[in-house]
Amino acid sequence: MNTIQRNFLGLLLGLSLLWYAAAAGDLARAANFFAWRNLLVQYSGVLGMGMMSVAMILAIRPAWVESHLGGLDKMYRLHKWLGIAGLTLAVCHWLSAKGPKWLVGWGWLERPVRGRPPEQSFELFRFFQSQRGLAEQIGEWAFYAAVLLIAIALIKRFPYRGFFKTHRWLALIYLALAAHALMLLNFAYWASPLGIVSGLMLGAGCVGAVFSLSRQIGAGRKVAGTVDKVEQLAGVGVTAIDIKLKEPWAGHQAGQFAFLSMHADEGAHPFTIASAWQGDGRLRFLVKALGDYTRTLAARLQPGDAVTVEGPYGRFNFAGTALRQIWIGGGIGITPFVARMQSLAREPDGRVVDLFHCTSEVDEIALQRLAADAAAAGVRLHVLIDARDGRLSGERLRAEVPDWQAADVWFCGPAPFGDAMRRDLLAHGLPAGRFHQELFAMR
């Protein structure tokens, strides 16, 4: 089980146990359909808001969480899982609340006899009780908006610019849902550990939402710069961008990435840094033409254009105790290895490295530079062009590198390719902790 799975399941199980402890008495007394329905409404609400609260916290990119999870790519994968889980639980919560009302309206269930709700001694709870109808309406309309915005985030046919501009509004939706949860959570739960944990999560989530709405995410890690050079490598559909920073930059490790803001209508895009840090304020990025924006980038970007760089992020840092490493770069996934070879050319670390560059496209200038970087770093380079050499498989890698079991494997490239290599190597004895895969995706 990997770190993402452990944290996701740990959150789900932890909240479930806290809810069970708080609701044990109600569970023992539940004797009819509507009693169980009310319990399901509360349980799905607790879990759903818990998932959304943690997702909101992750959205502001806290550095300590990135370290715990092993990189921002892992953080965003967990954020995505939590968003999907939160949406699923919200649907269950909505159906649990609305479904019985529909059944009563259709004559399939008899409307329950409701007594007067118990008088609350705590003034705040009396206020919440008086606003129950408003809280239900807020929650219902916020739910509909959340479904729409999360769908835009998950359906990749929606352009990135649309995702970028609409996704931040989920923070406002979260605040509405937090108000809904605050007023409608079973008042008895607040005196239990569940109430304490829920209050802390809602509070932290609201802080994260305000942080997002005020556009403070990453504010302390942003520096201004200008475009120094733009080069198009037509054979592989890549635009190389050299940037000169105008403000102090703390530096980065090879393998890290940064968010680049180059045009206001597009917002920030994440790109891996393709150069080693030399302390001169210069960064290089290799951008593959994969979408509407990146396909037009070479034409839109000119030397002297202002850019904002936010970062660095990521933990794809080539660390480990093994003196043997195998690198696999699929397509534009070669980028972190280019930066690492430049770093090794200046400061060798004594490791023996094989680099497999797998590509379906060819640009001779790019290949010449890659070969020069590998030679300078003392890295053994294997270039596999699909049409000429076929694709890399686990069997082929093991034949090329006989001592592969003693190596740390670092992979960056298409996720299905990486998953296939991982399964193959682990099935043949590679410890899971020795396969490092970049998972980064904004959606």
Side-chain angles (χ1 to χ4, degrees):
M1 185 181 296
N2 61 37
T3 302
I4 300 174
Q5 292 170 331
R6 285 196 301 271
N7 282 272
F8 178 81
L9 294 176
L11 175 64
L12 185 64
L13 179 60
L15 287 174
S16 295
L17 290 175
L18 287 172
W19 178 81
Y20 180 79
D26 292 333
L27 286 166
R29 292 189 294 271
N32 57 55
F33 172 83
F34 284 96
W36 285 105
R37 171 258 193 181
N38 292 338
L39 286 168
L40 181 57
V41 167
Q42 289 290 321
Y43 179 52
S44 59
V46 166
L47 288 187
M49 286 309 301
M51 297 289 174
M52 292 181 186
S53 295
V54 176
M56 193 70 254
I57 295 167
L58 295 182
I60 64 174
R61 306 171 194 156
W64 66 271
V65 178
E66 182 185 5
S67 298
H68 169 69
L69 293 176
L72 192 62
D73 60 322
K74 313 298 189 301
M75 190 191 301
Y76 269 106
R77 180 65 62 88
L78 179 57
H79 173 82
K80 181 178 179 178
W81 285 15
L82 291 170
I84 294 172
L87 177 62
T88 302
L89 288 161
V91 171
C92 292
H93 181 76
W94 177 75
L95 287 174
S96 301
K98 303 290 284 188
K101 296 179 182 179
W102 297 336
L103 295 177
V104 169
W106 298 336
W108 295 3
L109 278 178
E110 184 176 347
R111 185 182 300 275
V113 178
R114 290 184 177 178
R116 183 179 179 84
E119 186 71 21
Q120 298 296 321
S121 59
F122 190 38
E123 184 64 34
L124 182 62
F125 288 168
R126 284 202 295 271
F127 172 74
F128 286 168
Q129 199 171 56
S130 69
Q131 301 299 313
R132 184 179 183 87
L134 175 62
E136 289 177 345
Q137 290 180 7
I138 289 173
E140 183 174 356
W141 286 105
F143 163 74
Y144 299 144
V147 170
L148 176 62
L149 293 177
I150 294 175
I152 291 174
L154 294 176
I155 300 173
K156 295 187 178 181
R157 290 195 176 190
F158 285 100
Y160 179 87
R161 68 176 65 90
F163 156 75
F164 176 80
K165 292 177 179 178
T166 60
H167 199 61
R168 69 164 58 99
W169 291 109
L170 276 170
L172 186 61
I173 301 305
Y174 173 83
L175 291 175
L177 290 172
H180 168 84
L182 189 66
M183 288 189 279
L184 294 182
L185 184 69
N186 189 324
F187 296 144
Y189 292 174
W190 287 113
S192 70
L194 173 65
I196 297 172
V197 171
S198 295
L200 290 173
M201 294 177 75
L202 287 171
C206 288
V207 170
V210 171
F211 208 72
S212 175
L213 290 170
S214 60
R215 303 193 179 187
Q216 293 300 304
I217 295 176
R221 305 175 78 168
K222 292 180 180 179
V223 296
T226 57
V227 175
D228 189 52
K229 180 182 177 182
V230 180
E231 180 185 10
Q232 194 164 14
L233 302 172
V236 287
V238 168
T239 302
I241 306 169
D242 292 323
I243 292 174
K244 175 64 176 177
L245 301 178
K246 299 194 296 184
E247 298 175 307
W249 169 266
H252 65 275
Q253 294 179 311
Q256 291 189 297
F257 65 92
F259 288 89
L260 289 188
S261 298
M262 296 175 281
H263 298 98
D265 61 330
E266 280 292 329
H269 284 252
F271 300 115
T272 300
I273 304 170
S275 57
W277 178 244
Q278 301 182 40
D280 59 358
R282 294 184 179 276
L283 301 173
R284 184 175 178 84
F285 295 87
L286 299 177
V287 180
K288 178 72 172 178
L290 295 174
D292 294 342
Y293 178 59
T294 51
R295 288 191 185 98
T296 63
L297 193 56
R300 293 184 65 179
L301 208 58
Q302 302 294 328
D305 286 353
V307 299
T308 300
V309 182
E310 179 196 333
Y313 293 102
R315 294 294 185 273
F316 195 80
N317 56 12
F318 304 93
T321 59
L323 295 178
R324 191 76 169 85
Q325 289 192 346
I326 299 170
W327 303 345
I328 306 171
I332 196 61
I334 193 64
T335 305
F337 305 112
V338 172
R340 180 60 176 169
M341 288 190 294
Q342 292 177 10
S343 179
L344 288 178
R346 294 199 317 275
E347 286 187 55
D349 65 0
R351 290 187 174 96
V352 178
V353 180
D354 278 75
L355 168 59
F356 292 85
H357 176 42
C358 311
T359 180
S360 59
E361 301 170 301
V362 179
D363 186 283
E364 291 301 330
I365 294 176
L367 289 180
Q368 289 171 14
R369 291 176 181 172
L370 184 64
D373 285 336
V379 169
R380 184 185 175 200
L381 177 64
H382 311 256
V383 176
L384 301 179
I385 301 170
D386 289 353
R388 183 190 71 191
D389 306 302
R391 297 191 175 186
L392 180 66
S393 64
E395 180 181 5
R396 187 169 186 173
L397 183 146
R398 293 191 297 275
E400 292 281 350
V401 187
D403 59 345
W404 64 274
Q405 286 185 307
D408 281 327
V409 180
W410 293 81
F411 177 93
C412 185
F417 179 24
D419 293 342
M421 292 299 298
R422 179 186 180 90
R423 285 193 300 269
D424 183 283
L425 295 178
L426 266 58
H428 285 83
L430 183 74
R434 286 196 168 184
F435 192 97
H436 310 272
Q437 183 176 356
E438 183 71 80
L439 300 177
F440 191 82
M442 281 294 289
R443 306 173 69 176

